[in-house]
Amino acid sequence: MAATVIIGAQWGDEGKGKITDYYAERSDYIVRFQGGNNAGHTIKYQDEEFKLHLVPSGIFREGKKAVIGNGVVVDPKVLIEEIESLEERDIDTSDLILSDRANLIMPYHRAEDLLEEKLKGDLKAGTTKKGIGPCYSDKVGRFGIRVIDLYNPKSLRNKLEKVIPMKNKLFDAYDEDEEWDVEEVFQKYRDYGKKLEKHVEDTSVILNEALNQGEDVLFEGAQGTHLDIDHGVYPYTTSSNTIAGGACCGSGVGPREISSVLGIVKAYTSRVGTGPFPAELEGDLGEHIREKGGEYGTTTGRPRRVGWLDLVMLTFSARVNSFSGLAITNLDVLAGLDEVKICTGYRYEGKEIREFPADIEKLYDFDPVYESFEGWEEQDWDEIAEKGYEALPENAKEYLDYIERKTEVPIKHVSIGPKRDQTVEK
Ligand code: GDP
Ligand code: IMO
Ligand code: MG
């Protein structure tokens, strides 16, 4: 298997956590490479539900290494709390490794996230308010504080002495009642550093050594392709490269090591946050899918917007990620509907459009074009999980065949429930 990358093909929450946990059985290392605690990955393990924000979803597989790569932005307080809460539930976290080069989310980043969203008005992305964007801005602006700085007091203080006065002036200029004290932040982050020290390593070296020895590495994407900072619906995106190429930058593993890229596709579309959504379903049908699919944000609890599956989005995702396979999730959620639709393109000024435009404001004016499918009945999904793919309802298989034909990417797995074993192989 060598190195496999798991990527959300839509706007996040496709079920990456579930599929990562499923794949982790055949992997030695499970690696987060971008994003931060804006992610919320749900895993059902031994009839318990876990919601992970920073720790890779491989943590439930004994003896596997869970790696937080250099491309992740880490809120150390959140990471410490997540480790503690896993330990309290008897999940061993001693195999968790944190990159010494990861950038840290600082208290001013969370405050800047709130301020920026306020200033952006209708251009706000509806962020998770975790400080993700401001932390990546400081990383690129080279004002960032990295994990390794926590172990070099002189360097940490020096960096804080440069950055904190800037932040204080910024908030003062906007009449915001926020101020940070260098010494206080210094002490707090040194304490975080002590708690995390046993996990900190050079993860690029570790991962490359593992690959050289023939071990299997699984990369767990966060967010989704259409939230990518370059390829997503900018500016209603997140602040990192969420696509497969991000796995290399965010881990220090070269592209020749990547052997497969699995796109995770929810059988319909969901979206938390603002921005255009051409195939969005409002009204009773949208409400039905939201309730049946439990479509409420794992990180923020916000109701997710839902819509039909959008092939324009999927073919785009297949292209920018070079997907070698797909996993379709939440197929069970669509059961019981008389009719199911797939958006195949958009109509705009008499023309049919099959590519996402760079000027995404146009998406608001595009009318979706749909292909209609006969629905399928509710099933005993556990029985189907035992019997395998062929036992799926015929109409559901037609729906899946159509996705496969149009994306030209083979479907490898179909998920028919949130639990680990509710997955069938195609
Ligand atoms: P992620 O961010 O991509 O890991 O996805 P989330 O965990 O945010 O959201 C996916 C939700 O769908 C979670 O509540 C999962 O437990 C659930 N889920 C995953 N796969 C399936 C499936 O095949 N069927 C159903 N009904 N729920 C699923
Ligand atoms: P997982 O990994 C869904 C969305 C936010 C907002 C935009 C920017 O669980 O799929 P940010 O806080 O990143 O600056 O917010 O991105 N967003 C997600 N939507 N799933 C996620 O993660 C998301 N992470 C961020 O709602 O629109
Ligand atoms: Mg999620």
Side-chain angles (χ1 to χ4, degrees):
M1 194 167 87
T4 298
V5 187
I6 283 183
I7 295 290
Q10 294 148 314
W11 274 309
D13 305 324
E14 297 90 349
K16 298 176 294 293
K18 179 199 153 153
I19 302 294
T20 301
D21 167 65
Y22 177 72
Y23 257 67
E25 188 182 10
R26 48 190 122 157
S27 313
D28 300 297
Y29 288 77
I30 299 90
V31 187
R32 277 279 310 269
F33 56 89
Q34 46 67 234
N37 60 312
N38 48 350
H41 296 181
T42 316
I43 292 101
K44 284 218 163 160
Y45 166 69
Q46 291 182 343
D47 282 332
E48 275 195 73
E49 189 175 76
F50 293 86
K51 293 177 190 295
L52 296 177
H53 301 288
L54 274 168
V55 173
S57 301
I59 200 76
F60 305 103
R61 302 280 190 177
E62 235 181 281
K64 316 278 179 177
K65 308 269 186 214
V67 177
I68 300 178
N70 56 275
V72 176
V73 286
V74 177
D75 188 325
K77 182 170 182 282
V78 172
L79 180 57
I80 291 163
E81 283 168 3
E82 196 160 300
I83 292 171
E84 284 171 358
S85 91
L86 285 167
E87 289 287 343
E88 272 164 26
R89 293 172 74 178
D90 287 331
I91 307 297
D92 179 18
T93 58
S94 56
D95 281 331
L96 178 73
I97 312 174
L98 170 63
S99 167
D100 49 11
R101 288 163 170 82
N103 271 250
L104 294 169
I105 295 184
M106 307 299 287
Y108 41 84
H109 291 143
R110 288 188 296 269
E112 279 180 284
D113 199 346
L114 298 181
L115 174 63
E116 287 176 7
E117 284 279 279
K118 203 159 71 181
L119 296 175
K120 280 178 180 169
D122 62 344
L123 291 179
K124 71 170 192 236
T127 72
T128 58
K129 304 189 171 83
K130 306 294 182 192
I132 305 296
C135 184
Y136 276 118
S137 295
D138 276 357
K139 172 181 174 175
V140 175
R142 289 157 287 142
F143 281 110
I145 311 288
R146 308 207 295 180
V147 168
I148 197 64
D149 296 324
L150 302 178
Y151 309 103
N152 183 339
K154 199 164 157 241
S155 164
L156 177 62
R157 188 176 273 113
N158 184 28
K159 288 181 181 178
L160 291 174
E161 279 168 354
K162 304 295 182 313
V163 73
I164 285 184
M166 264 177 45
K167 302 292 180 187
N168 285 343
K169 279 193 183 130
L170 172 79
F171 279 82
D172 190 43
Y174 282 104
D175 287 328
E176 293 282 328
D177 192 20
E178 296 271 13
E179 204 176 359
W180 294 272
D181 175 68
V182 170
E183 211 44 44
E184 213 176 284
V185 176
F186 174 83
Q187 282 308 336
K188 204 178 256 179
Y189 274 69
R190 286 278 292 161
D191 287 347
Y192 295 147
K194 281 184 201 126
K195 290 196 174 136
L196 291 171
E197 194 163 13
K198 62 175 185 283
H199 298 287
V200 176
E201 305 223 32
D202 184 335
T203 49
S204 169
V205 169
I206 291 176
L207 291 171
N208 280 285
E209 270 173 13
L211 285 163
N212 287 342
Q213 282 164 19
E215 292 194 281
D216 292 327
V217 175
L218 181 64
F219 290 98
E220 175 183 11
Q223 291 77 55
T225 300
H226 294 272
L227 288 172
D228 182 279
I229 184 71
D230 286 290
H231 301 282
V233 286
Y234 189 89
Y236 310 102
T237 59
T238 190
S239 302
S240 64
N241 282 116
T242 60
I243 61 168
C248 293
C249 310
S251 70
V253 164
R256 282 193 300 130
E257 303 290 347
I258 310 292
S259 45
S260 56
V261 182
L262 187 70
I264 315 300
V265 179
K266 196 176 267 184
Y268 47 93
T269 312
S270 71
R271 168 75 160 119
V272 233
T274 56
F277 184 168
E280 184 163 11
L281 280 169
E282 280 154 12
D284 290 349
L285 190 51
E287 191 57 32
H288 165 80
I289 295 177
R290 176 160 41 251
E291 289 309 313
K292 189 159 183 219
E295 295 295 354
Y296 290 86
T298 311
T299 301
T300 58
R302 290 177 289 176
R304 294 176 184 150
R305 301 156 70 191
V306 296
W308 294 121
L309 189 72
D310 187 329
L311 272 178
V312 182
M313 289 178 72
L314 286 196
T315 47
F316 180 108
S317 299
R319 170 164 54 82
V320 298
N321 290 294
S322 64
F323 285 152
S324 48
L326 299 179
I328 311 292
T329 62
N330 291 44
L331 189 72
D332 54 304
V333 175
L334 293 180
L337 298 176
D338 293 335
E339 183 193 32
V340 179
K341 291 184 184 175
I342 293 182
C343 171
T344 56
Y346 314 124
R347 212 177 300 284
Y348 179 64
E349 293 180 343
K351 282 189 235 134
E352 190 157 334
I353 290 158
R354 288 178 196 276
E355 286 294 341
F356 247 55
D359 177 1
I360 65 108
E361 297 294 325
K362 283 201 174 118
L363 279 172
Y364 288 112
D365 301 322
F366 286 4
D367 292 320
V369 177
Y370 291 113
E371 184 78 27
S372 177
F373 297 80
E374 265 184 51
W376 50 92
E377 306 271 294
E378 196 54 68
Q379 308 285 316
D380 179 340
W381 299 105
D382 284 324
E383 194 183 317
I384 293 181
E386 256 173 53
K387 288 185 176 162
Y389 186 87
E390 282 312 313
L392 283 172
E394 287 310 314
N395 288 346
K397 281 191 273 184
E398 273 182 36
Y399 184 75
L400 295 171
D401 286 346
Y402 186 82
I403 298 171
E404 197 167 61
R405 265 201 322 277
K406 292 291 175 178
T407 56
E408 298 180 354
V409 185
I411 293 174
K412 305 271 193 196
H413 320 275
V414 181
S415 172
I416 49 176
K419 289 184 276 176
R420 194 182 267 178
D421 53 9
Q422 289 175 315
T423 313
V424 293
E425 308 278 323
K426 185 164 184 250

